[in-house]
Amino acid sequence: MRDLPINVDADAVIAIGNYLDDHSKATAVSVSGAIFAIRKKAMTTLSDNELEELIVESAAARHLAVLLDTRDN
């Protein structure tokens, strides 16, 4: 995993880690579901795209499958 930029919200990174640690390895991680859950757990100013990037990178580091189900409105 790459080094995080200095402006990344630590609470969001911790929430993503906790979310992925609790996720089953038998099912893919829904990116839109993860973003929704992270927004409920951590008050962050990160955009959905920034959260998506962190979720995908963190899931890859844990060898979890990812369901890319986000869409632009």
Side-chain angles (χ1 to χ4, degrees):
M1 193 165 152
R2 69 178 168 88
D3 292 334
L4 297 175
I6 201 153
N7 64 345
V8 169
D9 185 356
D11 290 336
V13 173
I14 291 169
I16 290 169
N18 289 339
Y19 178 82
L20 294 176
D21 288 343
D22 292 341
H23 195 277
S24 168
K25 287 192 176 221
T27 60
V29 176
S30 165
V31 174
S32 64
I35 290 172
F36 180 76
I38 301 310
R39 292 233 180 261
K40 285 176 57 176
K41 291 182 182 181
M43 299 300 291
T44 182
T45 59
L46 294 175
S47 69
D48 283 354
N49 289 336
E50 291 169 320
L51 282 174
E52 179 179 346
E53 186 176 333
L54 287 172
I55 291 164
V56 169
E57 289 181 6
S58 297
R62 289 169 172 78
H63 304 287
L64 295 171
V66 177
L67 177 61
L68 301 173
D69 59 350
T70 59
R71 57 187 139 121
D72 293 330
N73 292 332

